[in-house]
Amino acid sequence: MGVSIKEVKKIAKLAKLEFKDEELEKFTLQMNEILDYMEQLSEINTDNVEPLYHVIEPGNVLRNDEVKPSYSREEILKNAPVKSDEFILVPRVIE
Amino acid sequence: MTITEIKELLKENKTTCCELVESYLPKIKAGEKYNCFITVFEEKARKKAEEIDKKIKDGHAGELAGVIIGIKDVICIKGERTTCGSRMLENYYPPFNATAVEKLEKEDVIIIGKTNMDEFAMGSTTESSYLGPTLNPNDITRIPGGSSGGSAAAVAADLVPVSLGSDTGGSIRQPASLCGVVGLKPTYGRVSRFGLVAYASSLDQIGPITNNVKDTAILIKIIAGKDLKDSTSVNVDVPDYPNSLNKDISGLKVGIPKEYCEEGLDPEIKERLEILASHLKEHGITVEDVSLPHSKYSIATYYIIATAEASSNLSKYDGVKYGFREENIRDLNELFTKSRTKGFGAEVKRRIMLGTYVLSAGYYDAYYNKARKFRRLIKEDFDRAFEKFDCLITPVSPTTAYKLGEKIDDPLQMYLSDIYTISINLAGIPGLAIPFGKSSEGLPIGFQILGKHFSEDTILRLGHFIEKLDM
């Protein structure tokens, strides 16, 4: 199948990552090597095999919909990289 | 020291928890050259030791009172930095405890530090840690394995008696094996994943790394069980693992998968496996070859499923609520992209990219769905084998510990070295890695004992028996 540098750029955009041009070349090469290896999954016909979702079927796990105390605002804000007293700050969204 | 020794010394008043902490802290200091720890809780451990000494005096200490433990830095401890070996979480302080940590603390362990690991548990060498590589205590020019390299090396170098790791494709068993210690990847769902920072959620499990099988049995008994905070944890009784270790093992049927002994396996490791098999036969255990025909597809299957899940799990790191944020940003899109680009290392980016690709429009059926079909085929191979055998025994790694830097620039070669460990996660079965001798270069050789879902008691029992053979 193989991916081009152009495609790798597109995937990077989807994954919200950026690569320098020289990185991009190396990355594309490595990705192609790995994807080539994965081609072996075409060796056998799996048309009649059901995909496996859960190795151990837990069934539906339900709980009562009860209101419980959650983390305090201060606790959560401790980890925010940029904040004001009560809010997490981000760059302006609307111009 | 073993858990049993610690318990006896404390019981006979021959030592105190404070003395134990004071004996391990200098070892950790002297062992800094191996770079096993990301954080050491010197003062907190001392304070905890005082508290537990008081509890022992008052006669209400927990089952693991005074047991000093290292926790892989992918498992959350409330209010303590949890980096996952990444710049992204360099300053992340979780507001909650992992359930496994909660259960251990309830039994009065002393957590002495957080151990080094491959970034976000993605790697087989512990070289991808943002905090620098961990070195193998058996030979410091070699990798300790990974991703739980810090946890395994710390136990091997006697910096802690026991530790916790996590295993998504071999990350407990492979470093345990390359460092010469014991490690258990429990059945999927046996241990709660709550508070374990996710890599690939359908494969991840927390498990112990210890000096002997009994300590693993003791720890798994404490951390196993259903947890309401993890809907994939399973409500199956937790047996008394430590007390069933000495049950008779004669009559057990052991299979050796022939696909795990073909080309690529170091001849010295193969020879040790033959020695092990003949010992087992002498003790009335049936040992026969078995075939797991889809084994060769496990690496391709694993690296599609694991990277797909990783790309989804790691999309939450956007530099907004927590984690690394790039400065001088103009808009939101740039904030996400630049924070992620700077916050993640090369291997993590590679896996996010692969995962994004295999899930992207037009490729979903060709890769992701295909891999899930192969996952079924691989699991059914094991189901068939366990109709005939109680356990399977295989090598853990095709080679002994290799040199630092040897595979860091060749991701595919590194992925291929996971060949014997990853099918176990795909099938969700338990695997116990135990050391069994050394190579001519003096490097540890390990084997893994596999069993069907929730058969930890059987594989621990066989491991306990083999461990005695080795001595």
Side-chain angles (χ1 to χ4, degrees), chain B residues 99-266:
Chain B
T99 298
V101 167
E102 202 114 290
K103 287 184 162 190
L104 289 171
E105 291 215 303
K106 208 176 143 222
E107 298 302 335
D108 291 327
V109 298
I110 300 169
I111 299 175
I112 206 151
K114 301 294 293 287
T115 56
N116 200 9
M117 55 183 280
D118 277 301
E119 187 178 2
F120 282 101
M122 298 176 189
S124 317
T125 66
T126 316
E127 288 170 293
S128 72
S129 170
Y130 179 62
L131 294 307
T134 294
L135 313 181
N136 192 321
N138 296 281
D139 175 350
I140 56 165
T141 67
R142 293 175 191 272
I143 54 138
S147 65
S148 312
S151 287
V155 172
D158 192 30
L159 312 187
V160 283
V162 294
S163 63
L164 281 193
S166 70
D167 191 316
T168 305
S171 283
I172 287 174
R173 290 159 288 148
Q174 186 254 21
S177 186
L178 299 189
C179 289
V181 294
V182 173
L184 173 70
K185 197 289 284 184
T187 306
Y188 184 78
R190 181 76 290 190
V191 178
S192 168
R193 291 182 295 111
F194 181 78
L196 169 67
V197 178
Y199 157 22
S201 309
S202 80
L203 305 162
D204 296 340
Q205 269 291 288
I206 293 173
I209 298 178
T210 65
N211 274 307
N212 62 37
V213 175
K214 189 170 181 193
D215 284 357
T216 285
I218 292 171
L219 289 177
I220 187 67
K221 187 187 158 206
I222 302 291
I223 62 174
K226 172 77 184 163
D227 176 20
L228 292 175
K229 291 173 179 162
D230 172 8
S231 62
T232 61
S233 65
V234 183
N235 197 4
V236 172
D237 282 346
V238 180
D240 188 354
Y241 299 118
N243 281 317
S244 55
L245 289 177
N246 289 317
K247 278 193 201 152
D248 190 22
I249 46 99
S250 63
L252 273 189
K253 284 183 175 169
V254 171
I256 297 189
K258 64 181 173 67
E259 290 81 3
Y260 286 55
C261 303
E262 286 166 359
E263 60 163 297
L265 175 62
D266 181 336

Side-chain angles (χ1 to χ4, degrees), chain A residues 1-4 7-20 23-24 26-27 30-63 68 71-72 75-83 88-93 95, chain B residues 78 91-96 187-188 194 202 226 231-232 234 294 296-297 299-301 303-304 319-323 325 329-333 335-338 340-341 344 346 349-350 352-354 356-358 360 363 366-367 369-377 379 409-412 415-416 426-428 453-454:
Chain A
M1 231 174 264
V3 284
S4 62
E7 265 181 296
V8 172
K9 271 189 181 166
K10 194 188 133 204
I11 301 160
K13 215 174 156 186
L14 290 173
K16 302 259 183 256
L17 291 171
E18 258 173 8
F19 297 97
K20 293 188 197 105
E23 280 180 320
L24 212 53
K26 194 175 154 192
F27 235 90
Q30 287 174 337
M31 262 184 88
N32 274 308
E33 229 179 67
I34 296 164
L35 292 170
D36 273 352
Y37 180 82
M38 287 169 175
E39 274 306 294
Q40 57 172 287
L41 297 192
S42 319
E43 279 174 15
I44 51 176
N45 185 314
T46 52
D47 287 352
N48 296 319
V49 181
E50 264 302 296
L52 182 68
Y53 293 89
H54 301 284
V55 278
I56 288 157
E57 201 57 64
N60 240 342
V61 181
L62 301 172
R63 61 165 171 79
K68 281 182 192 163
Y71 302 104
S72 70
E75 245 179 326
I76 296 302
L77 277 174
K78 264 188 212 160
N79 279 301
V82 185
K83 59 205 153 190
I88 293 166
L89 299 183
V90 292
R92 179 188 293 273
V93 177
E95 288 303 320
Chain B
K78 187 176 174 172
N91 293 304
Y92 174 61
Y93 292 79
F96 49 78
T187 306
Y188 184 78
F194 181 78
S202 80
K226 172 77 184 163
S231 62
T232 61
V234 183
H294 297 95
K296 67 176 273 208
Y297 302 108
I299 290 175
T301 304
Y303 278 97
I304 292 170
V320 175
K321 298 181 289 299
Y322 55 90
R325 183 192 286 208
I329 292 292
R330 280 163 312 187
D331 62 37
L332 215 46
N333 193 47
L335 169 70
F336 300 153
T337 306
K338 295 245 190 277
R340 288 166 64 78
T341 298
F344 293 136
K349 286 181 197 165
R350 187 155 33 238
I352 291 175
M353 290 286 284
L354 268 171
T356 307
Y357 179 75
V358 299
S360 64
Y363 296 108
Y367 290 105
N369 219 26
K370 182 64 107 11
R372 284 198 306 199
K373 291 178 171 201
F374 273 87
R375 187 171 185 181
R376 179 174 300 279
L377 295 173
K379 180 185 171 281
D409 251 349
D410 194 342
L412 183 60
Y415 299 172
L416 294 179
L426 290 168
H453 291 147
F454 302 105

Side-chain angles (χ1 to χ4, degrees), chain B residues 291-312:
Chain B
S291 175
L292 302 171
H294 297 95
S295 297
K296 67 176 273 208
Y297 302 108
S298 58
I299 290 175
T301 304
Y302 173 85
Y303 278 97
I304 292 170
I305 289 174
T307 60
E309 292 184 20
S311 75
S312 169

